[in-house]
Amino acid sequence: MQRLVRIVLLIVCFSGGACAGAQSTPRSDLRATPPPSLIVLVTVDQLTGIYLDRFGAQLHGGLARLARGGAWFSNAHHDHAITETAPGHATLLSGRFPRSTGIMANRIGVADPSAPLIGAPGSLGASPRRFQGTELFDWLTARDSRSRALSVSMKDRAAILPIGRSRTDVYWYDVSGRFTTSTYYRDTLPEWVQRFNARRLPQSFAGKSWTPLLPDSAYKEPDSVAFEMGGSNFTFPHFVGNDSAQAASAIRGTPWMDEITLAFALDGLRALSLGEGTRTDLLAVSLSATDLIGHGFGPDSKEMHDNILRLDKNLGVFFDSLFKLRDSSRVAITLSADHAVGTIPELAARTMKPGPARINAAALAARLRALVAAAGIDSTLVFLDQQVVVADRTALANRRAGLDSVLAAFAAQVRTLPGISRVDRFHDLIRGDTINDPIARRWSHQFPAQGNVELVITQTPYSIFGTITATHGSPYDYDSHVPIIFYGPWFRPGKYPEFVRTVDIAPTLAEIAGVKPSERLDGVVLRRALK
Ligand SMILES: [Zn+2]
């Protein structure tokens, strides 16, 4: 990973982080509605765009409120290839593709040993040091330095990346059962965070089991599917353990994690007086339980169905509380996700011929190493990182021919393997048809053109790298399709079926806030949704 980080950092520096793409320009006319005093971004980790339709009739809480009262883009996508948490979160409020944010994969996300967690020297910390450029919060503070932001999540990368590089209030959940942050942001936890942690809410779930919210007849999914959870603990009830430390860890895979994260966000809103002044503040909340539940049980499970019902309920309570604290006519809410998810490959195989495969990345890496060694090339200069082959072309300047034949041989071998759809030379692919070939387009948005990415491997639909029950990360629509809903008096309610992209969220929010992005964006203002 470190080598990929090093090489990718070089790529971003040399490419200057600039992107082609439409630039949003704020409207010059005076707006009838003043800018919001608070923008709330709710990101649900792994929330595919299909759940809102699938479970719509059973939703009566926060999801329903947004879908029925907001501008709901039902065909929205992350238009990049590696549909993972870190690139997705870095895109949502930057309005830029991973090729310019520098956050091109989870593996080059936020891990930072130089920024340990507070009170935990030596811990693997986290920071936005690899993030390049600006985000919505930078544009807000450029207009009014009093603007404040709070970002919270169970995951460090999901809390950090919606904010960019600002050293503000950014907190995430430590497996020990408390919310914390790293020394990149501050040296001590503020009192309100300490008070919240002292309540020991996560530990209070010890001895409890997650059971379905509704009677069994409300769920059409079978509960007992042995492919789930690697074949163990795949039926309700799901017990989190009697021990409080065990429960604090286990609740991450239950809807209770989101309930706790939302309660924490409301405490922070009050403590920081977000949304009280004439400025525009930002609250980013990323809810992670859906991702853990989806990885464990898959998107078509009874557990996921129940999780979405509970998410709807928890968001309903959150919005009711928020609107008791703040005037709803001054609050803009956006709901989206960092990526979606594919179904369990073994379940997809029942209706697909040939069925999807599980790809062994370690075996692919071994094939590449063998070819590199046979060509007499330094194996530290050419390597596979899951679905990408990276090479240090500068160091290999006098070995170009050897490198090219290794890459060609490796691509030819990999193309014959089960689960592989295509292997492309990245530089050929971005010069090719990125209009009619969505896979090429998504890869071209993933890495800078001047980079050291040599080959990109695309699996067949629903094939996955590794043994995890279900996952995401491919350039296919099932992984890229997420909801985008804008809610508040600035937006024209309705269901919008046109194709839009998650890079369009940030310029649209900048537009209603009346601030100007300070750099070129890939996204555009979704004017149709604006009043
Ligand atoms: Zn995930």
Side-chain angles (χ1 to χ4, degrees):
M1 183 189 107
Q2 287 305 320
R3 285 178 298 163
L4 181 59
V5 170
R6 181 166 46 81
I7 289 176
V8 166
L9 281 176
L10 286 172
I11 295 167
V12 172
C13 294
F14 288 126
S15 72
C19 297
Q23 188 172 9
S24 69
T25 310
R27 277 191 277 184
S28 56
D29 57 314
L30 285 173
R31 301 194 60 81
T33 314
S37 56
L38 181 66
I39 293 175
V40 181
L41 172 70
V42 177
T43 309
V44 179
D45 198 317
Q46 204 191 99
L47 185 71
T48 153
I50 64 178
Y51 292 149
L52 287 176
D53 281 317
R54 182 185 291 177
F55 304 125
Q58 291 177 325
L59 303 180
H60 308 288
L63 290 174
R65 180 179 200 151
L66 298 186
R68 289 165 200 159
W72 171 13
F73 286 89
S74 57
N75 189 24
H77 292 262
H78 278 287
D79 207 22
H80 55 250
I82 300 182
T83 42
E84 292 179 342
T85 290
H89 275 90
T91 291
L92 291 173
L93 291 186
S94 73
R96 292 176 291 123
F97 293 123
R99 67 182 174 190
S100 82
T101 65
I103 307 296
M104 291 167 264
N106 275 348
R107 300 178 296 286
I108 42 175
V110 296
D112 183 354
S114 75
L117 304 187
I118 286 179
S123 60
L124 177 61
S127 82
R129 284 188 218 276
R130 284 185 286 277
F131 179 83
Q132 308 280 323
T134 60
E135 298 209 26
L136 177 65
F137 184 55
D138 300 300
W139 315 332
L140 292 172
T141 50
R143 181 187 57 189
D144 187 338
S145 59
R146 295 170 307 157
S147 285
R148 305 194 71 167
L150 167 66
S151 186
V152 301
S153 179
M154 186 203 92
K155 294 185 184 177
D156 53 7
R157 52 187 176 263
I160 290 171
L161 293 168
I163 296 298
R165 297 175 68 90
S166 290
R167 293 172 196 265
T168 183
D169 284 274
V170 174
Y171 304 96
W172 57 91
Y173 187 74
D174 179 338
V175 68
S176 68
R178 58 179 199 140
F179 282 92
T180 188
T181 189
S182 79
T183 56
Y184 177 87
Y185 295 101
R186 52 175 67 239
D187 297 322
T188 54
L189 288 178
E191 229 177 276
W192 71 268
V193 177
Q194 292 186 35
R195 270 200 310 273
F196 186 91
N197 287 336
R199 289 166 60 195
R200 292 173 57 83
L201 270 182
Q203 291 83 353
S204 72
F205 286 89
K208 294 188 177 161
S209 294
W210 171 22
T211 55
L213 184 69
L214 300 178
D216 272 352
S217 58
Y219 304 84
K220 66 175 178 11
E221 301 84 359
D223 188 18
S224 181
V225 177
F227 296 122
E228 296 173 10
M229 292 294 281
S232 66
N233 189 24
F234 51 83
T235 55
F236 280 107
H238 298 288
F239 182 52
V240 297
N242 281 319
D243 176 70
S244 62
Q246 189 189 353
S249 171
I251 58 156
R252 293 175 303 157
T254 74
W256 294 323
M257 187 69 238
D258 293 346
E259 207 177 314
I260 292 169
T261 306
L262 289 165
F264 182 64
L266 282 174
D267 269 23
L269 173 102
R270 275 187 288 255
L272 300 170
S273 303
L274 293 187
E276 276 193 340
T278 52
R279 62 194 192 259
T280 302
D281 293 335
L282 172 65
L283 172 62
V285 185
S286 176
L287 302 173
S288 309
T290 302
D291 187 58
L292 275 75
I293 293 163
H295 282 303
F297 300 97
D300 304 311
S301 58
K302 183 173 182 178
E303 283 80 1
M304 181 56 76
H305 184 161
D306 192 65
N307 169 60
I308 297 300
L309 300 181
R310 288 175 180 275
L311 171 70
D312 175 56
K313 197 168 168 243
N314 289 334
L315 282 174
V317 171
F318 174 73
F319 294 141
D320 287 346
S321 307
L322 175 65
F323 292 149
K324 279 196 188 109
L325 295 167
R326 300 291 180 266
D327 177 358
S328 63
S329 71
R330 304 290 318 282
V331 178
I333 298 172
T334 303
L335 174 87
S336 195
D338 50 351
H339 54 75
V341 66
T343 196
I344 299 173
E346 288 77 11
L347 293 183
R350 291 176 176 173
T351 53
M352 291 172 67
K353 290 287 171 262
R358 290 183 176 273
I359 303 159
N360 183 340
L364 295 187
R367 279 173 185 268
L368 180 62
R369 275 197 305 275
L371 290 165
V372 168
I377 292 175
D378 179 350
S379 66
T380 64
L381 301 177
V382 187
F383 59 93
L384 177 81
D385 190 295
Q386 188 147 306
Q387 67 276 63
V388 176
V389 175
V390 177
D392 188 337
R393 279 207 162 246
T394 312
L396 290 166
N398 53 5
R399 302 298 311 274
R400 290 273 167 88
L403 173 64
D404 285 340
S405 49
V406 164
L407 295 172
F410 180 69
Q413 284 188 18
V414 174
R415 283 187 193 109
T416 66
L417 300 176
I420 302 297
S421 169
R422 53 196 275 185
V423 183
D424 291 282
R425 288 298 292 262
F426 181 64
H427 293 100
D428 295 341
L429 184 142
I430 59 176
R431 283 194 296 268
D433 183 357
T434 57
I435 293 173
N436 297 306
D437 180 351
I439 302 296
R441 183 180 75 243
R442 286 181 175 165
W443 278 116
S444 77
H445 293 163
Q446 195 70 38
F447 301 109
Q450 303 308 317
N452 284 0
V453 170
E454 294 293 337
L455 294 177
V456 295
I457 300 171
T458 306
Q459 65 267 55
T460 58
Y462 301 102
S463 289
I464 62 179
F465 289 84
T467 57
I468 194 164
T469 300
T471 196
H472 47 85
S474 81
Y476 295 112
D477 281 1
Y478 61 79
D479 274 346
S480 67
H481 180 202
V482 296
I484 297 179
I485 303 179
F486 297 105
Y487 182 91
W490 302 267
F491 305 104
R492 202 183 294 277
K495 198 169 178 183
Y496 297 79
E498 65 261 37
F499 174 80
V500 297
R501 305 152 318 153
T502 51
V503 287
D504 301 328
I505 293 174
T508 304
L509 293 176
E511 173 74 7
I512 63 154
V515 297
K516 192 168 165 42
S518 49
E519 60 188 305
R520 287 194 78 190
L521 305 186
D522 293 305
V524 295
V525 178
L526 297 173
R527 294 197 185 281
R528 236 192 105 196
L530 297 181
K531 279 184 180 162

